[in-house]
Amino acid sequence: MKGSVKLDVLVIGGGIAGLMAAVAAKERSPDADVLLLDKCVAGKSGSSVQAKGLAAVGRWSFPGDAKEKHLEDSIRAGCGLNVRSLTERVVFEIEGVVDRLEAWGMRFDPKDPALYSGPETPSAGHRHYRYVNLKDGTGKVLQDVLRRRAQATGVTIVNGMQVVELVAPDQVCGGAIAWDFVRGRHVPFAAASVVIATGGAGYLFLRTSNPPQVMGDGLWLAYQAGAELSDLEMVQFYPVNYVHPRALEGKNVGSYGEARLYNTLGERFMERYDAVNLENTTRDCLSQAVYLEIYEGRGTEHGGVVIDRTGLPAAYYEQFPVERQTTLDGGLDITRETGEVSPAAHYLMGGIRVDRDCRSTLPGLYAAGEAAAGVHGANRLANNSLSDTLVLGQIAGEAASEVANRGRRSPAPAFDARMSAQSERVREWGANRSRESVFPLIRATRTRMWNLVGVVRTESALEAACRELSDLRRAARERAGLRSAGLGCNPELVALYEAEAMAGVGELMARSALMRTESRGAHYRSDHPDRDDAHWEKNIIVRRGPDGGAEIDAVPCVEVPRRGQDG
């Protein structure tokens, strides 16, 4: 295998989960060769950079709170679909991770309850205020701290690498093939173990809080290689994402529990949907309420509802200086002006199916962060995402390094064949300049996902989505091509890889949502509006069948069997 890079641990994705996995692997096995690939710039891309804070119970918590309560709240929000052992690990291990981060230089806000800016009241599904923050810029600073730690421990970081295939001879993951964006060539990476930390799939939807990199490609890589996916229908829509002013479009409202939401009739409509918690309800309830107000004709001319955060105490505005400055730059002074918001795709509870040690069902492959399913079930509580990302990143990195310690796997001959196949694919894309442009296909995929697989779903819409997304996937593979010359620094070529993955993952989401004939958590079927525990307290599992088509099963919520160190 000419020009290959031989590794102990390969981490794909440079957000918080990927950086944490790489650091954990290197610290557990200092002599291991640990390499992290990012398709943009590690520590500067992905969704976690915008995270406001993390949920953690520890010695800093309010009297009366406990890890067991945090677990109960998380399981309740997950509506019975959580993989309990994963949720337990996140809730019980995050305190130690916070201590570890502080030892590496992270400086959270003071964690003495007497100094908290937040109240000791229920918050967005949490029974207690249990957020650990650095104002509202926690994710950005965490990435900086982790990137520095990765460099200090000897992790190799390579940017501008789009992984296009996992190589899994004999149903064991042995590495990956990546596209070098700058040099315009494929590069093989043979590895004893591989960790996918590529985030979720929010950019599949036309309205989203996610950047373009978060479009499900890691899930597609795992699925194509033979790993099982789970709970893909469970997409969390952030309830309050700006639609006006235009300069703020796509930005999330950070702290909205104290806000007031009004429709165009002037009604504070949450009094009808959750009279007790109002806007401080869980995200699934709030998203569905806002969407229905807009859908039923009580929305604004910009397609939203009015959000009012005027007249609140000064301490409220001091909690989020980054967002405060962003809104001012966008022409909105929230202390005296209202804005307009609607839901937007935000977080994927589903992903790659893993056991409590983050091992996927494909030996040698691990997953962490939003790419992994199980922690959140049918709905994620606010600020549980950073906790999940950090803890699962640590678990996956340590488990992957243990496999690597048992000896580096020899490069498989399959790499040569797969490299040739990928090179031939690029040659075909560039052979005919009259092929379709890929960018309209991506736009069509995102439009179909928002219109047909969005906040409110129906059987007819989901059936149409399955047909149309299947057609778009074939079009991306068979009809689209390179219309611009040159392979290096060519975003069109990267988009050709992404288009098939986006339509493919979207189709799997739609098929999963079509199978679940009930409403649960973030999954709302207006034609099946009730929760049905008797038939649907199950996880929907997706795998690639022998003929290349998708096999979908609904299985009782049980732990993923542990395989031991069989990587």
Side-chain angles (χ1 to χ4, degrees), residues 490-534:
N490 189 337
E492 187 177 33
L493 195 145
V494 173
L496 282 162
Y497 274 114
E498 291 179 336
E500 182 183 356
M502 292 175 74
V505 172
E507 182 185 353
L508 296 178
M509 282 185 179
R511 292 186 62 176
S512 298
L514 183 62
M515 173 176 275
R516 185 175 290 280
T517 52
E518 65 153 359
S519 292
R520 181 184 297 265
H523 171 73
Y524 181 68
R525 288 278 300 265
S526 60
D527 50 351
H528 296 280
D530 298 321
R531 176 169 160 174
D532 181 2
D533 284 346

mmCIF file of all heavy atoms in Angstrom, residues 490-534:
data_model
loop_
_atom_site.group_PDB
_atom_site.id
_atom_site.type_symbol
_atom_site.label_atom_id
_atom_site.label_comp_id
_atom_site.label_asym_id
_atom_site.label_seq_id
_atom_site.Cartn_x
_atom_site.Cartn_y
_atom_site.Cartn_z
ATOM 1 N N ASN A 490 -10.729 22.176 -4.519
ATOM 2 C CA ASN A 490 -11.954 22.205 -5.324
ATOM 3 C C ASN A 490 -13.146 21.808 -4.448
ATOM 4 O O ASN A 490 -13.370 20.621 -4.198
ATOM 5 C CB ASN A 490 -11.832 21.240 -6.509
ATOM 6 C CG ASN A 490 -12.983 21.403 -7.504
ATOM 7 O OD1 ASN A 490 -14.052 21.890 -7.145
ATOM 8 N ND2 ASN A 490 -12.753 21.003 -8.734
ATOM 9 N N PRO A 491 -13.925 22.773 -3.962
ATOM 10 C CA PRO A 491 -15.056 22.446 -3.080
ATOM 11 C C PRO A 491 -16.132 21.629 -3.776
ATOM 12 O O PRO A 491 -16.898 20.925 -3.124
ATOM 13 C CB PRO A 491 -15.580 23.820 -2.640
ATOM 14 C CG PRO A 491 -15.085 24.775 -3.669
ATOM 15 C CD PRO A 491 -13.775 24.232 -4.151
ATOM 16 N N GLU A 492 -16.199 21.716 -5.103
ATOM 17 C CA GLU A 492 -17.211 20.951 -5.826
ATOM 18 C C GLU A 492 -16.964 19.454 -5.672
ATOM 19 O O GLU A 492 -17.905 18.666 -5.554
ATOM 20 C CB GLU A 492 -17.194 21.344 -7.309
ATOM 21 C CG GLU A 492 -18.331 20.723 -8.105
ATOM 22 C CD GLU A 492 -18.334 21.179 -9.550
ATOM 23 O OE1 GLU A 492 -17.248 21.417 -10.112
ATOM 24 O OE2 GLU A 492 -19.435 21.289 -10.124
ATOM 25 N N LEU A 493 -15.695 19.040 -5.629
ATOM 26 C CA LEU A 493 -15.397 17.621 -5.496
ATOM 27 C C LEU A 493 -15.804 17.117 -4.110
ATOM 28 O O LEU A 493 -16.384 16.036 -3.980
ATOM 29 C CB LEU A 493 -13.908 17.368 -5.739
ATOM 30 C CG LEU A 493 -13.539 15.903 -5.970
ATOM 31 C CD1 LEU A 493 -12.414 15.779 -6.981
ATOM 32 C CD2 LEU A 493 -13.144 15.222 -4.679
ATOM 33 N N VAL A 494 -15.512 17.900 -3.087
ATOM 34 C CA VAL A 494 -15.945 17.526 -1.737
ATOM 35 C C VAL A 494 -17.466 17.437 -1.686
ATOM 36 O O VAL A 494 -18.039 16.520 -1.081
ATOM 37 C CB VAL A 494 -15.427 18.539 -0.704
ATOM 38 C CG1 VAL A 494 -16.014 18.258 0.673
ATOM 39 C CG2 VAL A 494 -13.901 18.507 -0.643
ATOM 40 N N ALA A 495 -18.154 18.373 -2.340
ATOM 41 C CA ALA A 495 -19.612 18.380 -2.347
ATOM 42 C C ALA A 495 -20.174 17.135 -3.027
ATOM 43 O O ALA A 495 -21.239 16.638 -2.652
ATOM 44 C CB ALA A 495 -20.131 19.638 -3.036
ATOM 45 N N LEU A 496 -19.462 16.609 -4.029
ATOM 46 C CA LEU A 496 -19.911 15.383 -4.692
ATOM 47 C C LEU A 496 -19.913 14.213 -3.718
ATOM 48 O O LEU A 496 -20.832 13.384 -3.724
ATOM 49 C CB LEU A 496 -19.020 15.085 -5.896
ATOM 50 C CG LEU A 496 -19.305 15.931 -7.142
ATOM 51 C CD1 LEU A 496 -18.136 15.881 -8.107
ATOM 52 C CD2 LEU A 496 -20.585 15.454 -7.829
ATOM 53 N N TYR A 497 -18.897 14.127 -2.880
ATOM 54 C CA TYR A 497 -18.897 13.096 -1.853
ATOM 55 C C TYR A 497 -20.021 13.335 -0.842
ATOM 56 O O TYR A 497 -20.719 12.404 -0.415
ATOM 57 C CB TYR A 497 -17.547 13.080 -1.125
ATOM 58 C CG TYR A 497 -16.480 12.245 -1.800
ATOM 59 C CD1 TYR A 497 -15.339 12.832 -2.340
ATOM 60 C CD2 TYR A 497 -16.604 10.858 -1.887
ATOM 61 C CE1 TYR A 497 -14.350 12.068 -2.946
ATOM 62 C CE2 TYR A 497 -15.623 10.088 -2.495
ATOM 63 C CZ TYR A 497 -14.486 10.689 -3.017
ATOM 64 O OH TYR A 497 -13.519 9.918 -3.611
ATOM 65 N N GLU A 498 -20.197 14.582 -0.443
ATOM 66 C CA GLU A 498 -21.174 14.890 0.594
ATOM 67 C C GLU A 498 -22.609 14.705 0.131
ATOM 68 O O GLU A 498 -23.476 14.314 0.916
ATOM 69 C CB GLU A 498 -20.971 16.321 1.090
ATOM 70 C CG GLU A 498 -19.678 16.515 1.868
ATOM 71 C CD GLU A 498 -19.478 17.929 2.332
ATOM 72 O OE1 GLU A 498 -20.047 18.849 1.724
ATOM 73 O OE2 GLU A 498 -18.727 18.121 3.317
ATOM 74 N N ALA A 499 -22.891 14.966 -1.134
ATOM 75 C CA ALA A 499 -24.266 14.929 -1.629
ATOM 76 C C ALA A 499 -24.881 13.542 -1.479
ATOM 77 O O ALA A 499 -26.038 13.397 -1.060
ATOM 78 C CB ALA A 499 -24.308 15.368 -3.091
ATOM 79 N N GLU A 500 -24.108 12.511 -1.830
ATOM 80 C CA GLU A 500 -24.638 11.159 -1.694
ATOM 81 C C GLU A 500 -24.849 10.802 -0.225
ATOM 82 O O GLU A 500 -25.858 10.194 0.150
ATOM 83 C CB GLU A 500 -23.699 10.146 -2.345
ATOM 84 C CG GLU A 500 -24.251 8.721 -2.268
ATOM 85 C CD GLU A 500 -23.307 7.686 -2.848
ATOM 86 O OE1 GLU A 500 -22.242 8.056 -3.386
ATOM 87 O OE2 GLU A 500 -23.646 6.489 -2.753
ATOM 88 N N ALA A 501 -23.905 11.185 0.632
ATOM 89 C CA ALA A 501 -24.035 10.907 2.058
ATOM 90 C C ALA A 501 -25.257 11.615 2.647
ATOM 91 O O ALA A 501 -26.005 11.030 3.442
ATOM 92 C CB ALA A 501 -22.767 11.339 2.796
ATOM 93 N N MET A 502 -25.466 12.874 2.261
ATOM 94 C CA MET A 502 -26.592 13.635 2.796
ATOM 95 C C MET A 502 -27.923 13.008 2.411
ATOM 96 O O MET A 502 -28.794 12.786 3.257
ATOM 97 C CB MET A 502 -26.521 15.085 2.316
ATOM 98 C CG MET A 502 -25.366 15.867 2.901
ATOM 99 S SD MET A 502 -25.198 17.533 2.209
ATOM 100 C CE MET A 502 -26.591 18.364 3.001
ATOM 101 N N ALA A 503 -28.094 12.696 1.128
ATOM 102 C CA ALA A 503 -29.348 12.088 0.688
ATOM 103 C C ALA A 503 -29.511 10.695 1.286
ATOM 104 O O ALA A 503 -30.626 10.280 1.631
ATOM 105 C CB ALA A 503 -29.389 12.030 -0.838
ATOM 106 N N GLY A 504 -28.400 9.964 1.413
ATOM 107 C CA GLY A 504 -28.467 8.624 1.979
ATOM 108 C C GLY A 504 -28.884 8.619 3.433
ATOM 109 O O GLY A 504 -29.782 7.867 3.845
ATOM 110 N N VAL A 505 -28.254 9.458 4.249
ATOM 111 C CA VAL A 505 -28.624 9.543 5.665
ATOM 112 C C VAL A 505 -30.043 10.092 5.803
ATOM 113 O O VAL A 505 -30.823 9.630 6.639
ATOM 114 C CB VAL A 505 -27.620 10.406 6.439
ATOM 115 C CG1 VAL A 505 -28.099 10.651 7.874
ATOM 116 C CG2 VAL A 505 -26.252 9.738 6.463
ATOM 117 N N GLY A 506 -30.398 11.067 4.973
ATOM 118 C CA GLY A 506 -31.752 11.611 5.015
ATOM 119 C C GLY A 506 -32.801 10.549 4.744
ATOM 120 O O GLY A 506 -33.847 10.497 5.410
ATOM 121 N N GLU A 507 -32.534 9.690 3.759
ATOM 122 C CA GLU A 507 -33.471 8.613 3.463
ATOM 123 C C GLU A 507 -33.597 7.646 4.643
ATOM 124 O O GLU A 507 -34.700 7.203 4.984
ATOM 125 C CB GLU A 507 -33.011 7.858 2.215
ATOM 126 C CG GLU A 507 -33.959 6.744 1.803
ATOM 127 C CD GLU A 507 -33.434 5.930 0.630
ATOM 128 O OE1 GLU A 507 -32.397 6.309 0.037
ATOM 129 O OE2 GLU A 507 -34.066 4.893 0.320
ATOM 130 N N LEU A 508 -32.487 7.322 5.306
ATOM 131 C CA LEU A 508 -32.547 6.436 6.472
ATOM 132 C C LEU A 508 -33.332 7.081 7.606
ATOM 133 O O LEU A 508 -34.084 6.405 8.325
ATOM 134 C CB LEU A 508 -31.133 6.096 6.936
ATOM 135 C CG LEU A 508 -30.254 5.304 5.955
ATOM 136 C CD1 LEU A 508 -28.872 5.083 6.546
ATOM 137 C CD2 LEU A 508 -30.895 3.982 5.563
ATOM 138 N N MET A 509 -33.190 8.399 7.780
ATOM 139 C CA MET A 509 -33.984 9.119 8.783
ATOM 140 C C MET A 509 -35.474 9.026 8.462
ATOM 141 O O MET A 509 -36.305 8.756 9.343
ATOM 142 C CB MET A 509 -33.575 10.587 8.818
ATOM 143 C CG MET A 509 -32.304 10.886 9.557
ATOM 144 S SD MET A 509 -32.085 12.694 9.602
ATOM 145 C CE MET A 509 -30.556 12.785 10.523
ATOM 146 N N ALA A 510 -35.808 9.277 7.199
ATOM 147 C CA ALA A 510 -37.213 9.263 6.790
ATOM 148 C C ALA A 510 -37.820 7.880 6.960
ATOM 149 O O ALA A 510 -38.966 7.732 7.419
ATOM 150 C CB ALA A 510 -37.330 9.729 5.337
ATOM 151 N N ARG A 511 -37.068 6.846 6.614
ATOM 152 C CA ARG A 511 -37.575 5.484 6.759
ATOM 153 C C ARG A 511 -37.768 5.117 8.224
ATOM 154 O O ARG A 511 -38.731 4.431 8.586
ATOM 155 C CB ARG A 511 -36.631 4.500 6.066
ATOM 156 C CG ARG A 511 -36.615 4.652 4.550
ATOM 157 C CD ARG A 511 -35.797 3.577 3.862
ATOM 158 N NE ARG A 511 -36.347 2.245 4.103
ATOM 159 C CZ ARG A 511 -35.866 1.136 3.560
ATOM 160 N NH1 ARG A 511 -34.809 1.202 2.755
ATOM 161 N NH2 ARG A 511 -36.401 -0.028 3.816
ATOM 162 N N SER A 512 -36.874 5.574 9.080
ATOM 163 C CA SER A 512 -37.026 5.318 10.511
ATOM 164 C C SER A 512 -38.249 6.043 11.068
ATOM 165 O O SER A 512 -39.017 5.489 11.860
ATOM 166 C CB SER A 512 -35.758 5.759 11.256
ATOM 167 O OG SER A 512 -34.618 5.037 10.834
ATOM 168 N N ALA A 513 -38.425 7.298 10.653
ATOM 169 C CA ALA A 513 -39.576 8.082 11.119
ATOM 170 C C ALA A 513 -40.884 7.498 10.611
ATOM 171 O O ALA A 513 -41.915 7.552 11.298
ATOM 172 C CB ALA A 513 -39.428 9.532 10.661
ATOM 173 N N LEU A 514 -40.874 6.933 9.412
ATOM 174 C CA LEU A 514 -42.074 6.310 8.852
ATOM 175 C C LEU A 514 -42.443 5.061 9.632
ATOM 176 O O LEU A 514 -43.622 4.783 9.871
ATOM 177 C CB LEU A 514 -41.820 5.959 7.379
ATOM 178 C CG LEU A 514 -42.985 5.348 6.598
ATOM 179 C CD1 LEU A 514 -44.163 6.310 6.537
ATOM 180 C CD2 LEU A 514 -42.531 4.969 5.181
ATOM 181 N N MET A 515 -41.444 4.311 10.075
ATOM 182 C CA MET A 515 -41.718 3.083 10.833
ATOM 183 C C MET A 515 -42.346 3.401 12.186
ATOM 184 O O MET A 515 -43.240 2.674 12.643
ATOM 185 C CB MET A 515 -40.424 2.285 11.029
ATOM 186 C CG MET A 515 -40.584 1.085 11.949
ATOM 187 S SD MET A 515 -39.108 0.066 12.096
ATOM 188 C CE MET A 515 -39.301 -0.999 10.673
ATOM 189 N N ARG A 516 -41.914 4.478 12.838
ATOM 190 C CA ARG A 516 -42.395 4.781 14.195
ATOM 191 C C ARG A 516 -43.756 5.469 14.127
ATOM 192 O O ARG A 516 -43.857 6.692 14.007
ATOM 193 C CB ARG A 516 -41.388 5.647 14.952
ATOM 194 C CG ARG A 516 -41.777 5.887 16.414
ATOM 195 C CD ARG A 516 -40.724 6.647 17.180
ATOM 196 N NE ARG A 516 -39.528 5.866 17.419
ATOM 197 C CZ ARG A 516 -39.387 4.954 18.382
ATOM 198 N NH1 ARG A 516 -40.398 4.708 19.205
ATOM 199 N NH2 ARG A 516 -38.259 4.294 18.514
ATOM 200 N N THR A 517 -44.830 4.684 14.240
ATOM 201 C CA THR A 517 -46.192 5.208 14.121
ATOM 202 C C THR A 517 -46.716 5.642 15.497
ATOM 203 O O THR A 517 -47.698 5.106 16.020
ATOM 204 C CB THR A 517 -47.119 4.155 13.491
ATOM 205 O OG1 THR A 517 -46.988 2.927 14.232
ATOM 206 C CG2 THR A 517 -46.756 3.918 12.042
ATOM 207 N N GLU A 518 -46.059 6.608 16.076
ATOM 208 C CA GLU A 518 -46.440 7.231 17.339
ATOM 209 C C GLU A 518 -45.707 8.571 17.413
ATOM 210 O O GLU A 518 -44.901 8.902 16.544
ATOM 211 C CB GLU A 518 -46.016 6.358 18.523
ATOM 212 C CG GLU A 518 -44.511 6.224 18.642
ATOM 213 C CD GLU A 518 -44.004 5.964 20.055
ATOM 214 O OE1 GLU A 518 -44.818 5.893 20.996
ATOM 215 O OE2 GLU A 518 -42.772 5.854 20.214
ATOM 216 N N SER A 519 -45.974 9.321 18.480
ATOM 217 C CA SER A 519 -45.198 10.525 18.793
ATOM 218 C C SER A 519 -44.482 10.297 20.114
ATOM 219 O O SER A 519 -45.081 9.826 21.085
ATOM 220 C CB SER A 519 -46.107 11.752 18.890
ATOM 221 O OG SER A 519 -46.640 12.071 17.611
ATOM 222 N N ARG A 520 -43.186 10.623 20.132
ATOM 223 C CA ARG A 520 -42.367 10.401 21.324
ATOM 224 C C ARG A 520 -41.196 11.367 21.279
ATOM 225 O O ARG A 520 -40.436 11.386 20.308
ATOM 226 C CB ARG A 520 -41.861 8.961 21.368
ATOM 227 C CG ARG A 520 -41.001 8.617 22.592
ATOM 228 C CD ARG A 520 -40.473 7.185 22.483
ATOM 229 N NE ARG A 520 -41.549 6.216 22.475
ATOM 230 C CZ ARG A 520 -42.009 5.559 23.541
ATOM 231 N NH1 ARG A 520 -41.443 5.773 24.719
ATOM 232 N NH2 ARG A 520 -42.988 4.694 23.444
ATOM 233 N N GLY A 521 -41.033 12.164 22.343
ATOM 234 C CA GLY A 521 -39.906 13.078 22.394
ATOM 235 C C GLY A 521 -39.892 14.021 21.199
ATOM 236 O O GLY A 521 -40.886 14.689 20.894
ATOM 237 N N ALA A 522 -38.772 14.064 20.521
ATOM 238 C CA ALA A 522 -38.612 14.984 19.391
ATOM 239 C C ALA A 522 -39.327 14.515 18.137
ATOM 240 O O ALA A 522 -39.466 15.288 17.183
ATOM 241 C CB ALA A 522 -37.123 15.167 19.082
ATOM 242 N N HIS A 523 -39.763 13.275 18.101
ATOM 243 C CA HIS A 523 -40.453 12.713 16.929
ATOM 244 C C HIS A 523 -41.950 12.940 17.086
ATOM 245 O O HIS A 523 -42.596 12.335 17.949
ATOM 246 C CB HIS A 523 -40.133 11.221 16.818
ATOM 247 C CG HIS A 523 -40.949 10.489 15.797
ATOM 248 N ND1 HIS A 523 -40.752 10.640 14.441
ATOM 249 C CD2 HIS A 523 -41.954 9.591 15.931
ATOM 250 C CE1 HIS A 523 -41.593 9.855 13.789
ATOM 251 N NE2 HIS A 523 -42.346 9.213 14.674
ATOM 252 N N TYR A 524 -42.523 13.809 16.241
ATOM 253 C CA TYR A 524 -43.943 14.130 16.333
ATOM 254 C C TYR A 524 -44.637 13.781 15.030
ATOM 255 O O TYR A 524 -44.332 14.345 13.975
ATOM 256 C CB TYR A 524 -44.156 15.614 16.651
ATOM 257 C CG TYR A 524 -45.619 15.984 16.777
ATOM 258 C CD1 TYR A 524 -46.375 15.503 17.849
ATOM 259 C CD2 TYR A 524 -46.247 16.777 15.836
ATOM 260 C CE1 TYR A 524 -47.719 15.817 17.973
ATOM 261 C CE2 TYR A 524 -47.595 17.107 15.950
ATOM 262 C CZ TYR A 524 -48.322 16.622 17.022
ATOM 263 O OH TYR A 524 -49.651 16.923 17.138
ATOM 264 N N ARG A 525 -45.555 12.821 15.091
ATOM 265 C CA ARG A 525 -46.386 12.425 13.952
ATOM 266 C C ARG A 525 -47.791 12.972 14.192
ATOM 267 O O ARG A 525 -48.490 12.523 15.105
ATOM 268 C CB ARG A 525 -46.422 10.900 13.843
ATOM 269 C CG ARG A 525 -45.141 10.229 13.369
ATOM 270 C CD ARG A 525 -45.006 10.268 11.848
ATOM 271 N NE ARG A 525 -46.090 9.600 11.179
ATOM 272 C CZ ARG A 525 -46.051 8.319 10.762
ATOM 273 N NH1 ARG A 525 -44.967 7.582 10.975
ATOM 274 N NH2 ARG A 525 -47.080 7.799 10.119
ATOM 275 N N SER A 526 -48.210 13.939 13.381
ATOM 276 C CA SER A 526 -49.543 14.509 13.580
ATOM 277 C C SER A 526 -50.637 13.492 13.270
ATOM 278 O O SER A 526 -51.770 13.627 13.757
ATOM 279 C CB SER A 526 -49.717 15.755 12.700
ATOM 280 O OG SER A 526 -49.569 15.435 11.330
ATOM 281 N N ASP A 527 -50.311 12.446 12.474
ATOM 282 C CA ASP A 527 -51.285 11.397 12.199
ATOM 283 C C ASP A 527 -51.256 10.291 13.266
ATOM 284 O O ASP A 527 -52.120 9.420 13.287
ATOM 285 C CB ASP A 527 -51.061 10.794 10.811
ATOM 286 C CG ASP A 527 -49.617 10.385 10.542
ATOM 287 O OD1 ASP A 527 -48.741 10.730 11.362
ATOM 288 O OD2 ASP A 527 -49.357 9.747 9.506
ATOM 289 N N HIS A 528 -50.267 10.335 14.145
ATOM 290 C CA HIS A 528 -50.189 9.431 15.307
ATOM 291 C C HIS A 528 -49.702 10.264 16.493
ATOM 292 O O HIS A 528 -48.568 10.123 16.939
ATOM 293 C CB HIS A 528 -49.230 8.270 15.040
ATOM 294 C CG HIS A 528 -49.655 7.358 13.931
ATOM 295 N ND1 HIS A 528 -50.606 6.370 14.104
ATOM 296 C CD2 HIS A 528 -49.271 7.295 12.623
ATOM 297 C CE1 HIS A 528 -50.776 5.723 12.958
ATOM 298 N NE2 HIS A 528 -49.982 6.268 12.052
ATOM 299 N N PRO A 529 -50.554 11.144 17.030
ATOM 300 C CA PRO A 529 -50.086 12.152 17.992
ATOM 301 C C PRO A 529 -49.806 11.632 19.389
ATOM 302 O O PRO A 529 -49.241 12.368 20.207
ATOM 303 C CB PRO A 529 -51.244 13.154 18.013
ATOM 304 C CG PRO A 529 -52.451 12.348 17.649
ATOM 305 C CD PRO A 529 -51.974 11.320 16.682
ATOM 306 N N ASP A 530 -50.162 10.391 19.701
ATOM 307 C CA ASP A 530 -50.018 9.893 21.059
ATOM 308 C C ASP A 530 -48.783 9.001 21.201
ATOM 309 O O ASP A 530 -48.363 8.331 20.252
ATOM 310 C CB ASP A 530 -51.256 9.102 21.478
ATOM 311 C CG ASP A 530 -52.508 9.962 21.480
ATOM 312 O OD1 ASP A 530 -52.398 11.140 21.890
ATOM 313 O OD2 ASP A 530 -53.577 9.466 21.069
ATOM 314 N N ARG A 531 -48.243 8.987 22.393
ATOM 315 C CA ARG A 531 -47.150 8.065 22.721
ATOM 316 C C ARG A 531 -47.731 6.676 22.973
ATOM 317 O O ARG A 531 -48.743 6.531 23.654
ATOM 318 C CB ARG A 531 -46.409 8.589 23.950
ATOM 319 C CG ARG A 531 -45.310 7.691 24.483
ATOM 320 C CD ARG A 531 -44.481 8.427 25.519
ATOM 321 N NE ARG A 531 -43.745 7.518 26.392
ATOM 322 C CZ ARG A 531 -42.860 7.901 27.301
ATOM 323 N NH1 ARG A 531 -42.609 9.194 27.462
ATOM 324 N NH2 ARG A 531 -42.240 7.011 28.056
ATOM 325 N N ASP A 532 -47.068 5.648 22.441
ATOM 326 C CA ASP A 532 -47.581 4.281 22.508
ATOM 327 C C ASP A 532 -46.505 3.367 23.087
ATOM 328 O O ASP A 532 -45.757 2.718 22.361
ATOM 329 C CB ASP A 532 -47.999 3.820 21.106
ATOM 330 C CG ASP A 532 -48.573 2.417 21.086
ATOM 331 O OD1 ASP A 532 -48.688 1.792 22.151
ATOM 332 O OD2 ASP A 532 -48.892 1.936 19.973
ATOM 333 N N ASP A 533 -46.427 3.310 24.419
ATOM 334 C CA ASP A 533 -45.400 2.494 25.068
ATOM 335 C C ASP A 533 -45.593 1.012 24.821
ATOM 336 O O ASP A 533 -44.620 0.246 24.800
ATOM 337 C CB ASP A 533 -45.377 2.771 26.568
ATOM 338 C CG ASP A 533 -44.710 4.089 26.921
ATOM 339 O OD1 ASP A 533 -44.036 4.652 26.043
ATOM 340 O OD2 ASP A 533 -44.871 4.558 28.057
ATOM 341 N N ALA A 534 -46.827 0.584 24.641
ATOM 342 C CA ALA A 534 -47.097 -0.846 24.465
ATOM 343 C C ALA A 534 -46.415 -1.397 23.213
ATOM 344 O O ALA A 534 -45.979 -2.550 23.195
ATOM 345 C CB ALA A 534 -48.607 -1.096 24.401
#
